[in-house]
Amino acid sequence: MKTTIFRMLLRTLAPVMACVPLVAASMPILQVKNDILIGAKNVVVNEQNYDVTFTGGSCTEAFGTCGLSSFYFRDFETAQAASQALVDQVFVNGSAGMFDKDSSLTNGCQTYASYCNVLTPVAMDGSVVIGATAMNYSGGARSEIVQKFYRYADDAWPNLSYARWMPALAEVPEPNSVALIGIAFATMSLFRRRR
């Protein structure tokens, strides 16, 4: 009787467990300090995970040294994809904050309530920083756009924040609890067959 119940349970759960992924999908983790969005971890750009921090002020203040060696992305297309990822994955309303509705909650843009430019720099032309910008407008509707952007390196603007990107640290994924139960049932069935 016990064997029959066990086999029925195993036959019922096996197809369900086969459909459950063994690892949790990576979602961006917003970094918030004193209600201000200071960055995010695990932002997906072109199928790669990155961490990003937002810093206001001039390029030199944001990077220490404002130059090509300070910028992680080197081409406009990747910077544009990174800016689009900010729009889609980071500037969102949720339990961590209303970052799409209120752009002044982004680090570097606290004193400017209308909109925030978050610049992902890729190049320098003399003293001009060139990159892609995620423009986050305040208000109820999602009105972000991504565009090519030029800014003097020494300028600090109240509505400008620099995005500092780096590859995300590889984390060991946690197995899904349903998958763990499935592994336990499979192990139990192997031990039963051996007896």
Side-chain angles (χ1 to χ4, degrees), residues 2 11-12 19 25 29 53 87 92 104 122 137 164 180 192:
K2 286 183 181 179
R11 284 185 192 137
T12 306
C19 297
I29 301 166
T53 56
V87 168
V92 295
S104 69
V122 294
Y137 289 95
R164 297 182 62 177
L180 283 175
R192 285 205 178 265

Side-chain angles (χ1 to χ4, degrees), residues 35-49:
D35 298 326
I36 300 297
L37 180 64
I38 60 171
K41 293 184 179 288
N42 294 320
V43 179
V44 179
V45 178
N46 295 339
E47 300 180 15
Q48 298 290 322
N49 284 14

